[in-house]
Amino acid sequence: MHHRIYAIVVFMKKFILDFTVIENRHLHDLYSLLILSPSDGHLPEIMPGQFVQVAVDNSKTTFLRRPISVNYVDKELGHLWLLVRKAGDGTSALLQKSAGDTVNLVLPLGNYFLLPASDEKVLLTGGGVGVAPMLYWGKVLRDNGFEPEFLLGARSAMDVLELEEFKKIGTVHISTEDGSLGEKGLVTTNSVLERKWDRIYCCGPAPMMKAVARVATSMGAQCEVSLENMMACGLGACLCCVENTVKGNVCVCTEGPIFNINELTWQN
């Protein structure tokens, strides 16, 4: 029987909090890992798959918060990790943050991944910055007695993010388009998908997620995806992130970002 790990997400209290940058770890020209700590020492309960809305201060071209997936939660240290990809002025400003700087977050937002049945074999798949939510989810799965395996996709070896962190949690399989690490090709051609999986979790570019969803369907596996629709408010007010589902149009920021593929119209 599948169930949410804790209470239904709609009842989770949301906070607007200042966080202090503990470290800005530059992983790549386009990526940084921001390690944050709540300035008041209170880190709210955050579920795997949820996201935050980050305020971008002192930017003349950035007025809206930026949605960023929760990458990891270190409950012992009270740290929140955000994997930030440079995509525009807002994220560029975040990549320039230094230790001691303050960032303001709205959190926790959205729903979260479903905990599998105890006997299910699970594969966590991420492409590019889509690997972000899989790290925390893998840790939670391991803490709940599962043996998660990861399938990470990237253009080249230098684009594979947080590899050592993933290896601490479970077995890692890799696909790179140029073959510089792991198997050559797209994620969907990786030999690990020739094995039988009961449940596949996926986050990445939409074409990748749709391809993984087709593979999951063909083997009879359940599949949950984390959508990355453009979001402005994160609270369901602006209707910027609407996604068509079998039940009609819904806001990804409130009804998602996690969806079972059976809820989406991808297979119609």
Side-chain angles (χ1 to χ4, degrees), residues 15-266:
F15 300 84
I16 302 176
L17 298 174
D18 283 336
F19 280 71
T20 302
V21 177
I22 302 301
E23 181 182 358
N24 181 353
R25 190 179 301 169
H26 293 285
L27 307 179
H28 184 286
D29 289 344
L30 296 178
Y31 298 95
S32 272
L33 174 63
L34 291 181
I35 300 178
L36 310 175
S37 178
S39 300
D40 66 357
H42 172 65
L43 182 64
E45 185 70 45
I46 302 171
M47 304 298 290
Q50 291 188 303
F51 68 98
V52 303
Q53 289 279 118
V54 186
V56 182
D57 299 323
N58 304 318
S59 173
K60 296 180 180 179
T61 60
T62 305
F63 304 99
L64 301 173
R65 291 175 180 263
R66 293 297 186 263
I68 299 178
S69 295
V70 171
N71 178 218
Y72 190 75
V73 176
D74 189 325
K75 295 182 179 179
E76 291 185 4
L77 295 178
H79 289 173
L80 170 65
W81 295 13
L82 300 179
L83 184 60
V84 183
R85 181 185 186 278
K86 182 179 180 180
D89 290 346
T91 48
S92 295
L94 293 177
L95 262 60
Q96 301 306 313
K97 293 290 183 179
S98 301
D101 287 347
T102 298
V103 292
N104 185 266
L105 309 182
V106 179
L107 78 165
L109 298 173
N111 66 353
Y112 41 86
F113 293 113
L114 281 174
L115 194 66
S118 59
D119 60 346
E120 287 189 324
K121 295 181 179 179
V122 297
L123 179 68
L124 283 59
T125 306
V129 75
V131 304
M134 298 304 163
L135 186 65
Y136 182 35
W137 183 217
K139 173 63 163 58
V140 170
L141 285 171
R142 193 186 69 177
D143 289 347
N144 279 271
F146 293 89
E147 297 181 3
E149 296 193 38
F150 302 98
L151 173 55
L152 310 180
R155 292 180 179 178
S156 67
M158 66 177 295
D159 299 305
V160 178
L161 304 171
E162 300 185 302
L163 178 55
E164 294 308 312
E165 298 296 337
F166 279 103
K167 286 181 176 179
K168 294 176 184 177
I169 297 172
T171 303
V172 181
H173 310 273
I174 297 172
S175 284
T176 52
E177 293 180 23
D178 65 0
S180 54
L181 186 64
E183 296 184 17
K184 183 176 182 178
L186 301 176
V187 159
T188 47
T189 65
N190 194 287
S191 60
V192 74
L193 288 174
E194 296 173 5
R195 291 161 51 188
K196 178 67 173 69
W197 300 96
D198 296 303
R199 187 168 287 257
I200 298 175
Y201 302 91
C202 184
C203 184
M208 185 204 101
M209 289 193 290
K210 290 180 179 180
V212 170
R214 288 193 294 270
V215 173
T217 299
S218 68
M219 71 171 64
Q222 289 293 312
C223 182
E224 290 187 11
V225 295
S226 177
L227 300 190
E228 297 184 323
N229 296 32
M230 185 176 294
M231 299 177 189
C233 72
L235 299 169
C238 69
L239 305 181
C240 180
C241 62
V242 167
E243 176 76 17
N244 186 26
T245 72
V246 295
K247 295 182 179 179
N249 291 332
V250 302
C251 290
V252 169
C253 66
T254 53
E255 302 297 320
I258 311 303
F259 291 88
N260 187 296
I261 59 170
N262 295 328
E263 300 173 89
L264 303 173
T265 60
W266 291 358

